[in-house]
Amino acid sequence: MSSASRTVVIVGGVAGGMSTATRLRRLDETARIIVVERSGHVSFANCGLPYHVGGVIEARSALLLQTPASLGARFELDVRVRTEAVAIDPAAHRVTLRDLASGVEEEVTYDALVLSPGARPVRPPIPGIERALTLRDIEDTDVLVAAVAAAQGVEARGFDDESPEPATAVVIGGGFIGVELTENLVHRGMQVALVEATPQVMAPLDPEMVAPVHRALRAAGVDLHLGRSVTAIGVEDVTLDDGTVLPAALVVAAIGVRPDTTLAQAAGLRVGDRGGIAVDEHFRTSAPDVYAVGDAVEKVDGLSHEQALVPLANTANLQGRRVADVIAGDGGTDRPVLGTAIVGVLGLQVAATGWNEKRLRAAGRAHRAIHTHPASHATYYPGAATMALKLLVDPETDAILGAQGVGREGVDKRIDVIATAMTAGLRARDLAALELAYAPQFGSAKDPVNMLGHIDDNLHSGLSACIQWHELDAALASEAALIDVRTASEFAKGSIEGALNIPVDELRDRLDEVPAGPVVVHCAVGLRGHVAARILRQRGWEDVRNLSGGYTTWRAGTS
Amino acid sequence: MSSASRTVVIVGGVAGGMSTATRLRRLDETARIIVVERSGHVSFANCGLPYHVGGVIEARSALLLQTPASLGARFELDVRVRTEAVAIDPAAHRVTLRDLASGVEEEVTYDALVLSPGARPVRPPIPGIERALTLRDIEDTDVLVAAVAAAQGVEARGFDDESPEPATAVVIGGGFIGVELTENLVHRGMQVALVEATPQVMAPLDPEMVAPVHRALRAAGVDLHLGRSVTAIGVEDVTLDDGTVLPAALVVAAIGVRPDTTLAQAAGLRVGDRGGIAVDEHFRTSAPDVYAVGDAVEKVDGLSHEQALVPLANTANLQGRRVADVIAGDGGTDRPVLGTAIVGVLGLQVAATGWNEKRLRAAGRAHRAIHTHPASHATYYPGAATMALKLLVDPETDAILGAQGVGREGVDKRIDVIATAMTAGLRARDLAALELAYAPQFGSAKDPVNMLGHIDDNLHSGLSACIQWHELDAALASEAALIDVRTASEFAKGSIEGALNIPVDELRDRLDEVPAGPVVVHCAVGLRGHVAARILRQRGWEDVRNLSGGYTTWRAGTS
Ligand SMILES: Cc1cc2nc3c(=O)[nH]c(=O)nc-3n(C[C@H](O)[C@H](O)[C@H](O)COP(=O)(O)OP(=O)(O)OC[C@H]3O[C@@H](n4cnc5c(N)ncnc54)[C@H](O)[C@@H]3O)c2cc1C
Ligand SMILES: Cc1cc2nc3c(=O)[nH]c(=O)nc-3n(C[C@H](O)[C@H](O)[C@H](O)COP(=O)(O)OP(=O)(O)OC[C@H]3O[C@@H](n4cnc5c(N)ncnc54)[C@H](O)[C@@H]3O)c2cc1C
Ligand SMILES: CC(C)(COP(=O)(O)OP(=O)(O)OC[C@H]1O[C@@H](n2cnc3c(N)ncnc32)[C@H](O)[C@@H]1OP(=O)(O)O)[C@@H](O)C(=O)NCCC(=O)NCCS
Ligand SMILES: CC(C)(COP(=O)(O)OP(=O)(O)OC[C@H]1O[C@@H](n2cnc3c(N)ncnc32)[C@H](O)[C@@H]1OP(=O)(O)O)[C@@H](O)C(=O)NCCC(=O)NCCS
């Protein structure tokens, strides 16, 4: 087959698929490139959909980044919307395309076939689930926008004063999309209940990290039901497993997504244990000349090197570009995934990369956790906001295993820097020496990322030891004394039961009050605790641990 | 000497010095630690001073992060303000301290001496320079605040309507501090002229990158005199070398800083060619047990491994901490500097790391430059702002040599990510695969940093070739054709002389209009130019170059 005549068929015309098509054209002017897309649109901004539902992105057209016509003009792509790839015959190198409007089918012989079919929202088998809407494409968005309008119309009916009861919505699932939808329905003026089966929203973060997110949701009037599942969806309500009945003019299911492997499986392509299409590092499926990328495929986890599902746009776009390189013969290798992700919710930035502690613990992987509560920028410059950061480190190798952050500002930057450090193989203590851009509006002379490195350095060298919020009870039960080194007025506003208050600045004069034996010290966030721990260690206390993240993290974890 | 009795004297009580003192105490409870500071304050926020002058940081007390008393209480430091170290006898391990109020001197025998005397503002030998104020410490700030008030009082005198003529100020020097001061004096309502001897402000950036900064300054009413020097400072004016006389109730000199080596030189310590105290990688000066850190010392450049001056707080603080580790016997090694820096000016973030093109060119170092103008976040989400980014790369090794960014939002993050990548030794094309946190409020599925990696990948592999704005004239003179692939309406609003307009989407149909031979293509920023260049290259044009950064960078560079 000569390159001049090769036909490449791409299934799925959004992030992965269209990135493949455009890059391939830049590499190969003469290939016949057909992109088929089941929905009515290509190259749309999936990640913007919730914000159009909320009216934050006002114009629907803003979501449509390209059209079949624009892609035809610029890239000579044969883009067919409302067209589904319904069957593949790998041996014959043939794919069957069905025009969904007419039902007409066409068989196309390909030299290469790229699958980027994405993922589908999970629809749990709950009675009444038919009524629950999901959000994946433009059509879903149109339905949801109409449903919001209808719900608001219906609920407002019968009221003629200026403050009708707000329309009710129940969002099932507290993942990224569920939380985004919740915010956007609130933004539309709806009364929203969010139901999440686990005890916390935002599974990529550990429980003590999401406390501010729970607070923000509640403060915005969201009726949060954690650790609860939906048992039935009625015509105008939703019933939970604790018997609660929530009024629900609108029900949205956002319980997660599953790789769309229908077509691949029907064609006998190998699907991995995690449920995604199995590909090698050059995106090759088990069938010759059939490639797959994006949400539909299994990736390689950057830490365990095991298969993983990471349905995110950065990786989908990159894989799309790289599979084009493979097809054009220019190399193109996949890279492992960290799962770096962020969501904006009610003014908070919530971000994570790598593994969280729950996962490390479940995998039995040794780790140490570092909690801090730094300011987004120098506190003496107006507008600084406190964030919570968490770093997870391999205690043996000092490798960075993961990081999480929550705050109003500057979280995105710190997570990106840490993700970069992880990719590059920097050790945790190397973060101390990063030369980050500092002026008072943007950071601190010791940036929060540097500070994580300093703290890690102390733990790694054994200069300091720390204890986690969830280990405190056991330590206190086994005779450790707890010293709260905050000021008396901070102590008075709330303290940990059993703590003895000796402000750090008085510690040297009051050493006789500190019991012999193991000691746990804590302050508000960990900094003064570190100073106090160093004093005690040098003054003869051998077993001194500083409560990681101080009272702030402890409260977030235990409340 | 037993550690229980060691005496450590630290000269300079701010970023480097006080970081040494506090860390040392955490490592050594029993050392006698004396910190002497010539000015009246320690641990103040140098970087905040301009903003107190401008009234952005309202409370003067916000600048004073610690006091001798607070440092005494927490760290048992013997902190002496208004005390100068006036002589060192290295052989005798003795330093002479003078109480500046009483004039009383004391000789202290040290086990270790740490110098962190910082840098001093350069005062050029201009007639009348005595009247120019400089800004380094709290006392300078007080003087400047008073001078602003006086100038405003004087100029306003005699007016009793509600809009008196604004008081005039001349800022000499367009470096970081000069620009910050300019902004802050504008913020105070002054009429400010900024005089800079080179053709651009912000020397760490290349000329085409600072065009937006010049625009912003002028838009804020700043009277910008580039490529001009001050020849005389009069009682109420300033004269420039072109004869211009600028009214100046207030004159501020911000021409840069020079390491304060007075004490070190008097003691015979070795000073390097760059004018800073010479230290080894453990901060040891040429005298035994005398260490030096911070703005006063020469660092090792991360790219050339030659000596360099980088008077910035991140490095000063880090060195302070690490020299304490050295003294305590716990290691502590310096790291090379990239010179990562940022400044906020009139709503713009202006940042850089590593080398700029001017410096690479001067050093005869091979490099390629990449210009982009990405959005701070997905353009379909409200509030995205365009930034200019520039990446400098070693064409042989693909090592990242430097980066610069200017824009209203998100520049800090990209520069920090690139600085991290540089420290970690990632190659430029590795930036493509970084897994950065993406949601529409924070970035793009292909983040601007990823995009730099893609572009570099194309240049590195030879898939694309580019030409710089300053190379265009020569290329056109040697017969290259220039094709502007923007739309006709963009072309109509302004174009490069001699360009032929063939919109990229029409290019395949109008190939007969493209002259044979070398071709330069360009669009607004480089993206469509890349698409067009790939079309032409594959359609038989062998020598096709894409104008880096497109029309936008060309205009910035040539205007
Ligand atoms: C509401 C929402 C918000 C999101 N927010 C973010 C975010 O903030 N950040 C982030 O990183 N990621 C986000 N994502 C995820 C991101 O959109 C995906 O990771 C990315 O789009 C995956 O690209 P893909 O090409 O694999 O799949 P998609 O972009 O989903 O494209 C797959 C396409 O294939 C089509 N298709 C499937 N099967 C066939 C077939 N047989 N024939 C023809 N066409 C077919 C589908 O109709 C679909 O349009 C979000 C996703 C959603 C739904
Ligand atoms: C106005 C301004 C804005 C700045 N903005 C930024 C910024 O945004 N970002 C950034 O990274 N950096 C910035 N810097 C630079 C930063 O402040 C310095 O890099 C840092 O403070 C250097 O620390 P140092 O300890 O070396 O010196 P300093 O912090 O200057 O401390 C040195 C101290 O030593 C004292 N001293 C000197 N000699 C003696 C002696 N013989 N006896 C006793 N005391 C002595 C001096 O009085 C001085 O207070 C700024 C500096 C200034 C002045
Ligand atoms: C937009 C879309 C069609 C991809 O189009 P694309 O042309 O491949 O991508 P971009 O428009 O980002 O342009 C990138 C190309 O321009 C080049 N480029 C960008 N800026 C450049 C510049 N200043 N100079 C030179 N080249 C530049 C890049 O190198 C890249 O080319 P390459 O792949 O050959 O290296 C596809 O990503 C898509 O459908 N996106 C919408 C869906 C989506 O991403 N959803 C998830 C997130 S909401
Ligand atoms: C503030 C100053 C006195 C330094 O004090 P410091 O106690 O060394 O520094 P910080 O208050 O930042 O605290 C850092 C220490 O607390 C530790 N720490 C911080 N947060 C912690 C946490 N959550 N848990 C445990 N430890 C923590 C760090 O590891 C570090 O200790 P280490 O050095 O022993 O590793 C000094 O930097 C200074 O004078 N600054 C003002 C001047 C200046 O910096 N100017 C330039 C910029 S404007």
Side-chain angles (χ1 to χ4, degrees):
Chain A
M1 90 196 162
S2 103
S3 110
S5 64
R6 78 173 138 193
T7 297
V8 179
V9 178
I10 298 168
V11 179
V14 196
M18 204 56 82
S19 294
T20 307
T22 52
R23 171 69 175 173
L24 188 61
R25 176 59 72 220
R26 288 190 287 269
L27 299 177
D28 184 348
E29 215 12 55
T30 57
R32 180 177 171 220
I33 305 176
I34 303 171
V35 182
V36 294
E37 167 56 47
R38 184 167 51 201
S39 79
H41 304 85
V42 290
S43 286
F44 55 85
N46 327 48
C47 317
L49 305 182
Y51 299 94
H52 182 58
V53 172
V56 176
I57 299 174
E58 282 181 50
R60 178 177 181 277
S61 60
L63 301 171
L64 303 172
L65 307 183
Q66 299 288 341
T67 63
S70 71
L71 291 158
R74 182 153 308 165
F75 297 106
E76 287 206 323
L77 302 178
D78 177 356
V79 178
R80 311 182 187 177
V81 293
R82 279 183 255 280
T83 303
E84 184 168 1
V86 290
I88 306 168
D89 180 342
H93 279 57
R94 218 160 36 218
V95 57
T96 308
L97 310 180
R98 179 185 299 155
D99 179 321
L100 293 177
S102 65
V104 173
E105 293 193 353
E106 177 190 357
E107 295 211 326
V108 178
T109 303
Y110 58 78
D111 297 296
L113 174 68
V114 179
L115 307 179
S116 189
R120 284 187 192 248
V122 172
R123 296 184 73 86
I126 302 168
I129 188 72
E130 321 75 60
R131 188 160 85 82
L133 302 180
T134 56
L135 183 61
R136 182 79 196 174
D137 58 23
I138 298 287
E139 285 76 0
D140 294 342
T141 310
D142 292 341
V143 170
L144 198 43
V145 167
V148 170
Q152 293 188 312
V154 166
E155 304 253 333
R157 194 187 306 146
F159 294 84
D160 43 20
D161 63 357
E162 54 281 276
S163 60
E165 285 286 295
T168 54
V170 170
V171 175
I172 311 174
F176 280 31
I177 296 178
V179 164
E180 284 183 349
L181 272 171
T182 298
E183 168 173 13
N184 277 288
L185 295 176
V186 168
H187 195 252
R188 280 281 188 205
M190 296 188 88
Q191 170 58 50
V192 188
L194 175 58
V195 183
E196 163 59 47
T198 73
Q200 63 162 91
V201 300
M202 314 289 288
L205 281 86
D206 289 313
E208 77 281 10
M209 296 300 289
V210 290
V213 184
H214 293 165
R215 259 200 315 276
L217 286 165
R218 291 194 175 108
V222 174
D223 182 17
L224 200 55
H225 294 264
L226 300 174
R228 291 272 76 92
S229 45
V230 172
T231 52
I233 300 173
V235 184
E236 44 190 32
D237 56 25
V238 160
T239 306
L240 307 188
D241 57 358
D242 63 353
T244 307
V245 177
L246 301 169
L250 181 72
V251 182
V252 187
I255 311 161
V257 296
R258 223 174 260 145
D260 188 340
T261 55
T262 331
L263 180 66
Q265 278 187 296
L269 303 192
R270 202 166 79 71
V271 167
D273 293 339
R274 310 295 314 269
I277 302 174
V279 291
D280 70 8
E281 57 168 354
H282 302 298
F283 312 102
R284 291 184 291 224
T285 68
S286 57
D289 302 311
V290 181
Y291 304 83
V293 296
D295 286 2
V297 307
E298 294 190 355
K299 287 102 188 169
V300 175
D301 183 88
L303 289 159
S304 67
H305 306 290
E306 287 170 0
Q307 297 308 110
L309 295 176
V310 171
L312 290 168
N314 172 293
T315 295
N317 275 278
L318 181 70
Q319 291 190 329
R321 183 180 185 277
R322 292 198 162 178
V323 76
D325 289 358
V326 174
I327 294 168
D330 288 353
T333 308
D334 199 13
R335 58 115 170 86
V337 286
L338 298 172
T340 312
I342 189 167
V343 66
V345 44
L346 298 162
L348 288 178
Q349 309 181 340
V350 185
T353 186
W355 286 30
N356 59 30
E357 194 169 0
K358 291 177 290 192
R359 186 168 170 192
L360 290 165
R361 209 178 289 141
R365 190 153 171 173
H367 61 275
R368 66 168 159 259
I370 297 172
H371 286 94
T372 60
H373 301 273
S376 55
H377 65 247
T379 48
Y380 60 79
Y381 190 92
T386 300
M387 69 180 86
L389 281 182
K390 179 174 185 175
L391 188 76
L392 291 154
V393 181
D394 185 316
E396 280 290 317
T397 63
D398 204 32
I400 306 171
L401 303 177
Q404 300 161 42
V406 178
R408 303 211 151 257
E409 198 181 282
V411 171
D412 58 336
K413 175 161 78 171
R414 275 65 187 212
I415 293 297
D416 276 1
V417 167
I418 296 172
T420 302
M422 288 178 73
T423 295
L426 292 185
R427 294 162 309 179
R429 63 181 181 278
D430 295 332
L431 298 177
L434 291 179
E435 199 183 335
L436 303 170
Y438 166 59
Q441 306 93 319
F442 307 109
S444 291
K446 292 176 195 166
D447 188 85
V449 172
N450 298 138
M451 204 59 103
L452 290 172
H454 290 309
I455 299 169
D456 179 75
D457 180 36
N458 296 332
L459 295 171
H460 189 76
S461 69
L463 192 79
S464 309
C466 72
I467 180 169
Q468 297 299 322
W469 60 273
H470 53 81
E471 297 167 336
L472 187 61
D473 279 349
L476 299 185
S478 67
E479 310 295 300
L482 180 63
I483 316 282
D484 181 337
V485 302
R486 296 176 302 161
T487 62
S489 80
E490 288 174 279
F491 184 78
K493 283 186 207 125
S495 66
I496 303 178
E497 208 185 304
L500 174 66
N501 182 221
I502 309 181
V504 61
D505 292 350
E506 299 170 18
L507 186 57
R508 289 186 185 85
D509 297 330
R510 294 173 61 182
L511 288 173
D512 52 342
E513 296 174 43
V514 181
V519 178
V520 171
V521 294
H522 84 85
C523 63
V525 296
L527 194 158
R528 286 171 291 170
H530 169 57
V531 175
R534 289 302 307 152
I535 294 173
L536 292 176
R537 277 277 285 270
Q538 296 189 69
R539 301 274 184 158
W541 279 262
E542 275 162 26
D543 181 352
V544 185
R545 280 172 293 170
N546 181 20
L547 182 62
S548 186
Y551 186 69
T552 309
T553 297
W554 178 84
R555 273 212 60 181
T558 55
S559 67
Chain B
M1 90 192 164
S2 102
S3 106
S5 65
R6 75 171 141 195
T7 297
V8 178
V9 177
I10 298 168
V11 178
V14 196
M18 205 55 83
S19 294
T20 308
T22 52
R23 171 69 174 174
L24 188 60
R25 176 58 75 221
R26 287 190 286 269
L27 300 176
D28 185 346
E29 237 333 79
T30 58
R32 182 179 169 217
I33 305 175
I34 303 172
V35 183
V36 292
E37 166 58 46
R38 183 167 52 202
S39 79
H41 304 84
V42 290
S43 285
F44 54 84
N46 327 47
C47 317
L49 304 182
Y51 299 94
H52 182 58
V53 172
V56 177
I57 299 174
E58 283 182 48
R60 178 179 183 275
S61 60
L63 302 170
L64 303 170
L65 308 182
Q66 299 289 340
T67 62
S70 72
L71 291 159
R74 181 155 309 167
F75 296 105
E76 287 207 324
L77 302 178
D78 178 356
V79 178
R80 309 182 189 178
V81 293
R82 279 183 255 282
T83 302
E84 184 168 3
V86 290
I88 305 168
D89 180 342
H93 279 59
R94 217 157 40 213
V95 57
T96 307
L97 310 179
R98 181 185 297 154
D99 179 322
L100 294 177
S102 65
V104 173
E105 294 194 351
E106 178 189 357
E107 296 210 323
V108 178
T109 304
Y110 57 78
D111 297 295
L113 175 68
V114 180
L115 306 180
S116 188
R120 284 186 194 249
V122 172
R123 296 184 72 85
I126 304 168
I129 187 72
E130 323 72 63
R131 188 161 84 83
L133 302 180
T134 55
L135 182 61
R136 182 77 196 178
D137 59 23
I138 298 287
E139 285 76 0
D140 294 345
T141 310
D142 292 341
V143 170
L144 197 43
V145 167
V148 170
Q152 293 188 311
V154 167
E155 303 253 334
R157 195 189 305 146
F159 293 86
D160 43 20
D161 64 356
E162 54 284 274
S163 58
E165 284 286 295
T168 55
V170 170
V171 175
I172 312 173
F176 280 33
I177 296 177
V179 164
E180 284 184 346
L181 272 170
T182 298
E183 168 173 15
N184 278 288
L185 295 176
V186 167
H187 195 253
R188 280 281 188 204
M190 295 188 88
Q191 171 58 50
V192 188
L194 175 57
V195 183
E196 163 60 45
T198 74
Q200 64 163 91
V201 301
M202 315 289 288
L205 281 85
D206 289 313
E208 77 281 13
M209 294 300 288
V210 290
V213 184
H214 293 165
R215 259 202 311 278
L217 285 165
R218 291 194 174 108
V222 174
D223 182 19
L224 200 54
H225 294 264
L226 299 174
R228 293 272 77 90
S229 44
V230 173
T231 51
I233 300 173
V235 184
E236 42 190 33
D237 55 26
V238 160
T239 306
L240 307 189
D241 57 357
D242 62 352
T244 307
V245 177
L246 301 168
L250 180 73
V251 181
V252 187
I255 311 160
V257 296
R258 225 173 258 146
D260 187 340
T261 56
T262 332
L263 180 67
Q265 280 189 295
L269 303 192
R270 200 165 82 71
V271 167
D273 293 340
R274 312 295 313 266
I277 303 174
V279 291
D280 71 7
E281 56 168 355
H282 303 297
F283 313 102
R284 290 184 291 224
T285 68
S286 59
D289 302 311
V290 181
Y291 304 84
V293 296
D295 286 2
V297 307
E298 294 190 352
K299 287 103 189 168
V300 175
D301 183 89
L303 288 160
S304 66
H305 306 290
E306 287 169 1
Q307 297 309 109
L309 294 176
V310 172
L312 290 168
N314 171 294
T315 296
N317 275 277
L318 181 69
Q319 292 190 329
R321 182 179 185 276
R322 292 198 164 177
V323 75
D325 289 358
V326 173
I327 293 169
D330 288 353
T333 309
D334 200 13
R335 59 118 168 83
V337 285
L338 299 173
T340 312
I342 188 167
V343 68
V345 45
L346 298 162
L348 288 178
Q349 308 180 343
V350 185
T353 187
W355 285 29
N356 60 30
E357 193 168 2
K358 292 178 288 192
R359 186 168 171 193
L360 290 164
R361 208 179 290 140
R365 190 154 171 169
H367 61 274
R368 66 168 160 259
I370 296 171
H371 286 94
T372 60
H373 300 273
S376 55
H377 64 246
T379 48
Y380 61 77
Y381 190 92
T386 300
M387 69 181 89
L389 281 182
K390 178 173 185 175
L391 188 76
L392 292 154
V393 180
D394 185 317
E396 279 289 317
T397 64
D398 204 31
I400 307 170
L401 302 177
Q404 299 162 42
V406 178
R408 305 215 147 254
E409 198 181 281
V411 171
D412 58 335
K413 175 161 79 172
R414 275 65 186 211
I415 294 297
D416 277 0
V417 166
I418 296 171
T420 302
M422 287 177 74
T423 296
L426 291 185
R427 294 162 309 181
R429 64 181 181 279
D430 296 332
L431 297 178
L434 289 179
E435 198 183 335
L436 302 171
Y438 166 59
Q441 306 93 318
F442 307 108
S444 292
K446 293 177 195 165
D447 189 83
V449 173
N450 297 139
M451 204 61 101
L452 290 172
H454 290 308
I455 299 169
D456 179 76
D457 180 37
N458 296 332
L459 296 170
H460 189 76
S461 69
L463 191 79
S464 309
C466 73
I467 180 168
Q468 297 300 320
W469 61 272
H470 53 82
E471 298 167 336
L472 186 61
D473 280 348
L476 298 185
S478 68
E479 309 294 298
L482 179 63
I483 315 283
D484 181 339
V485 302
R486 296 176 301 161
T487 62
S489 81
E490 287 173 280
F491 185 78
K493 282 186 206 123
S495 66
I496 303 177
E497 207 186 306
L500 173 67
N501 182 221
I502 308 180
V504 60
D505 292 350
E506 300 169 15
L507 186 57
R508 288 187 186 85
D509 297 330
R510 294 174 59 181
L511 288 173
D512 53 343
E513 296 175 42
V514 181
V519 177
V520 172
V521 294
H522 84 85
C523 63
V525 295
L527 194 157
R528 285 170 293 170
H530 169 57
V531 174
R534 289 302 307 152
I535 294 172
L536 292 176
R537 275 278 286 269
Q538 297 188 68
R539 302 274 184 157
W541 278 262
E542 273 162 29
D543 182 353
V544 184
R545 279 172 295 170
N546 181 22
L547 182 61
S548 187
Y551 186 69
T552 309
T553 297
W554 178 84
R555 276 212 61 178
T558 55
S559 67

